[in-house]
Amino acid sequence: HASSFAMRNGKTGTIVHDGTFDGWGAACPSGTVFMGGGGYTVYGTAVQYSGPDWDPSTDALVPNSWITIDDGGVAVSFVTCYSPSGASIPGAVTSMSQVWNATNIAQHTEGVDASHYPSAASTAKVDSLKSGLAQPKR
């Protein structure tokens, strides 16, 4: 029976995280699961990776997460989360104003970050991505 596959009261919500400052992607809050993700670049010119986030010190994927990496480091990431219980999703954005606030876009566009340096986590992830791309295909 189809009703046994999904809760009728489930809700979705999108979490936005600006990883340019801390090197991490967007993650779903506890009690929710990831459905999909994406992102956009702030400093770079091209997206190099868009997929599950990972911990560069352990190489383990971060559950229910999404990260976008551009050629300059970690970018702004979005993850859409599902709450099977129907509870609201803490931190979910509902307007573009909230997206801009969450991504510190004013700081980026006004040049406040002119001296921006990627975080250690961002650098480790970019290095990991580059070394993985350099590996021969199996």
Side-chain angles (χ1 to χ4, degrees):
H1 194 269
S3 65
S4 65
F5 292 108
M7 298 288 243
R8 286 182 223 139
N9 297 328
K11 289 185 181 178
T12 60
T14 300
I15 305 295
V16 180
H17 183 74
D18 186 344
T20 60
F21 298 103
D22 64 6
W24 293 97
C28 292
S30 179
T32 65
V33 293
F34 133 93
M35 294 185 62
Y40 70 90
T41 68
V42 176
Y43 294 105
T45 57
V47 170
Q48 302 295 322
Y49 174 81
S50 185
D53 196 359
W54 74 97
D55 183 331
S57 65
T58 64
D59 200 40
L61 294 178
V62 175
N64 298 309
S65 69
W66 200 269
I67 191 167
T68 300
I69 298 176
D70 63 29
D71 53 359
V74 176
V76 177
S77 304
F78 303 92
V79 65
T80 298
C81 308
Y82 175 69
S83 171
S85 69
S88 64
I89 299 173
V93 296
T94 58
S95 70
M96 283 309 292
S97 294
Q98 290 174 318
V99 170
W100 298 137
N101 288 335
T103 62
N104 300 305
I105 198 69
Q107 291 182 0
H108 293 304
T109 58
E110 293 170 9
V112 173
D113 292 326
S115 63
H116 170 74
Y117 292 99
S119 69
S122 179
T123 301
K125 289 176 184 183
V126 170
D127 290 347
S128 171
L129 182 61
K130 287 179 181 175
S131 69
L133 291 174
Q135 298 297 316
K137 304 294 183 243
R138 296 179 205 173

